[in-house]
Amino acid sequence: MQWESRAARTRLRRIRRMERVFSNAPIYDSIFRNLSPRTLVRLSRTCDMIHDAVTHFCQRAYNINRHLSRYFPDPLSFRSLQARTGLIISGSSALQFLDRSFYLDIYCHPGHVYEVLEWMESFGYRFEPHKYQDADWRSQVSADWDGTKSRIRVLDPLHHLLDEDPIRSTRYSNIAEVYNFKRFMIIDEELVELQVQVIETINNPIDTIMKYHSTCVMNIITFDAAYSFYPIATFEDRSALKIPGSRHRPDVLAKYIKRGWRAYSLFRPGDLARPYESPFLPNITRWVGDRHCWTVPLDTSGVELRRALSGSSEQFSWDPSTQSGWTLLTKPSSLANFKVPEMDANLVATTIFRYSYMIPSQSLSLAIRGWACSQAKLYHGLVTRRDWTWFDAEIPRLRELTDVEQVT
């Protein structure tokens, strides 16, 4: 009995010690900030007290309003712009938010560029044109975008070889234009120059992201969540898979290697033998926000959500980029028994959908296109642009048609 009593007192002391640690934010913050996302998730599952501590830590560590306030005095206005236009933060900007540091590149859907650039100027940012751009961005961007006309661009595959500008020559073929904006702010009593790049994509921004130089920068921030597409590789293993065909300069990937990421040019044998255990998930159908993503929900209090696209269109509040997907395929290499990665997705861009979407399954993309084609024939024969109906709200329902035979 005495031994049991001594053991009980020991357990009680340990519990009280743990309570003192995990009820004191300054203490547990100093512990949690050194842990990887996967370790935090595992730790949060041990007991209710630690779960609450991890939750409160994440709310502070991944405070998107605080992160954006470095660039915009009213971050909620920027996030409302995101909700309204589908604008996303990606590349090194999203990586640094998830890794708890700073930078900003924003990616814009076709037809929203004018609104976004006007918003940038209204918050004190000044357009800094490249040498091939006019001094006034309004001479290049139309406020009158017509989504009822075909938006598929046919590009000369050699056009970048004929472009003497070094910025354009390293640009992806699915980026329409890049607009640089700068402003000066006093931060911590020091004058700091802030730069924001607004990147106009030809299709859905996910199409551009799939052509990044490597997997470690495949992360996005929408108005309501942050997503990492390869979280275990990026944040746990600090590894990255190089994507062939990227037109990034070699020194761009070198920058991440110097920051501590290991880069691979080929799949490793274990990736191919056990794809579901591989952090790169080869040949597995992926969607933004699927169970393989690391998803950080963001507080949307004060964010003005998207309204219906027209009087007859069904309202939806989700971000258009979250309805896209891809597959990281394995392709033969020059070395026997090894495979190179290739990003694969099927573009769906029609006049019936306000936004374009990347669909990982060819059969599903064909089914969606077939449905959209039928709707387009109906509407183009009945109404004009002024009375147009957008059917983007159907995308999540059409995604459920994994068996194409259900479409008939």
Side-chain angles (χ1 to χ4, degrees):
M1 293 291 293
Q2 187 175 2
W3 178 85
E4 291 180 356
S5 177
R6 189 183 305 116
R9 287 197 298 272
T10 300
R11 284 196 301 271
L12 184 60
R13 282 196 299 271
R14 289 175 178 171
I15 291 172
R16 287 175 176 170
R17 191 180 301 122
M18 190 170 69
E19 286 176 343
R20 285 197 296 272
V21 170
F22 292 105
S23 63
N24 191 319
I27 296 177
Y28 65 68
D29 279 4
S30 65
I31 299 172
F32 292 164
R33 69 168 58 102
N34 296 307
L35 302 180
S36 69
R38 184 164 65 172
T39 302
L40 279 173
V41 170
R42 288 174 172 172
L43 189 62
S44 71
R45 293 172 178 170
T46 56
C47 68
D48 289 341
M49 179 174 57
I50 295 180
H51 178 272
D52 291 342
V54 170
T55 299
H56 294 149
F57 167 76
C58 288
Q59 289 171 348
R60 291 189 301 278
Y62 302 109
N63 184 328
I64 190 63
N65 291 334
R66 182 177 62 199
H67 182 81
L68 292 173
S69 65
R70 182 181 182 94
Y71 302 93
F72 310 117
D74 185 356
L76 288 176
S77 177
F78 175 77
R79 294 179 62 202
S80 296
L81 180 72
Q82 283 189 285
R84 190 165 62 249
T85 65
L87 193 69
I88 67 169
I89 302 168
S90 190
S92 58
S93 311
L95 173 62
Q96 288 167 354
F97 171 72
L98 291 166
D99 214 21
R100 298 165 238 167
S101 53
F102 290 95
Y103 195 74
L104 202 63
D105 289 336
I106 55 180
Y107 290 71
C108 187
H109 289 267
H112 285 303
V113 180
Y114 195 97
E115 178 181 2
V116 171
L117 300 191
E118 267 199 332
W119 187 95
M120 292 292 298
E121 284 192 333
S122 73
F123 275 86
Y125 277 86
R126 185 182 70 257
F127 177 52
E128 294 283 339
H130 294 298
K131 65 180 183 180
Y132 62 85
Q133 293 176 318
D134 293 336
D136 185 359
W137 58 263
R138 289 172 180 81
S139 66
Q140 306 170 67
V141 182
S142 172
D144 186 32
W145 182 80
D146 186 359
T148 65
K149 294 181 179 179
S150 175
R151 64 192 78 163
I152 299 295
R153 295 193 185 190
V154 179
L155 296 177
D156 181 351
L158 300 179
H159 78 284
H160 65 280
L161 300 178
L162 304 175
D163 201 327
E164 297 179 357
D165 188 89
I167 296 173
R168 283 191 161 181
S169 66
T170 57
R171 182 176 301 165
Y172 303 133
S173 59
N174 52 2
I175 288 180
E177 192 52 274
V178 177
Y179 303 92
N180 283 331
F181 282 80
K182 294 181 180 179
R183 71 175 292 194
F184 288 93
M185 286 185 63
I186 296 176
I187 300 176
D188 297 330
E189 300 182 352
E190 181 179 348
L191 187 64
V192 177
E193 183 185 65
L194 299 177
Q195 179 172 322
V196 177
Q197 279 197 330
V198 180
I199 301 165
E200 178 189 3
T201 61
I202 293 175
N203 303 311
N204 192 299
I206 299 300
D207 185 29
T208 300
I209 292 165
M210 291 302 101
K211 294 176 176 61
Y212 277 164
H213 56 77
S214 64
T215 55
C216 70
V217 287
M218 294 182 180
N219 314 284
I220 67 170
I221 304 172
T222 67
F223 75 96
D224 62 349
Y227 303 91
S228 175
F229 298 170
Y230 294 96
I232 295 177
T234 302
F235 299 103
E236 192 76 18
D237 300 341
R238 293 280 165 171
S239 61
L241 190 62
K242 182 181 182 298
I243 305 302
S246 167
R247 286 168 57 190
H248 265 119
R249 301 184 309 274
D251 61 319
V252 176
L253 181 55
K255 176 177 67 175
Y256 290 92
I257 294 174
K258 292 174 183 177
R259 291 177 182 175
W261 274 272
R262 283 189 319 282
Y264 294 93
S265 60
L266 299 169
F267 284 108
R268 301 161 298 183
D271 296 324
L272 305 177
R274 298 175 297 278
Y276 278 96
E277 295 178 16
S278 165
F280 302 117
L281 301 159
N283 298 319
I284 294 173
T285 298
R286 301 291 310 280
W287 293 93
V288 174
D290 65 16
R291 66 186 182 90
H292 302 295
C293 286
W294 175 31
T295 302
V296 180
L298 304 175
D299 181 8
T300 56
S301 301
V303 176
E304 183 180 342
L305 300 182
R306 178 196 302 274
R307 298 176 182 176
L309 296 173
S310 70
S312 59
S313 301
E314 182 181 350
Q315 192 270 342
F316 63 93
S317 60
W318 40 260
D319 187 279
S321 291
T322 64
Q323 299 298 322
S324 287
W326 71 96
T327 305
L328 185 54
L329 300 177
T330 58
K331 294 293 184 178
S333 74
S334 58
L335 299 173
N337 302 321
F338 289 95
K339 303 287 185 180
V340 295
E342 180 182 292
M343 283 292 180
D344 182 64
N346 302 273
L347 174 66
V348 172
T350 83
T351 56
I352 282 299
F353 300 136
R354 167 60 184 81
Y355 300 97
S356 60
Y357 300 90
M358 305 305 298
I359 307 298
S361 162
Q362 185 178 32
S363 58
L364 180 58
S365 69
L366 290 173
I368 294 175
R369 288 179 194 145
W371 184 88
C373 183
S374 176
Q375 287 295 109
K377 288 180 180 178
L378 172 66
Y379 269 75
H380 281 292
L382 295 177
V383 297
T384 63
R385 172 186 176 186
R386 186 181 64 180
D387 302 309
W388 204 253
T389 301
W390 300 106
F391 288 90
D392 296 68
E394 298 293 340
I395 289 291
R397 301 162 194 151
L398 291 167
R399 277 180 52 180
E400 297 175 3
L401 300 174
T402 52
D403 183 356
V404 180
E405 291 181 358
Q406 296 180 37
V407 181
T408 59

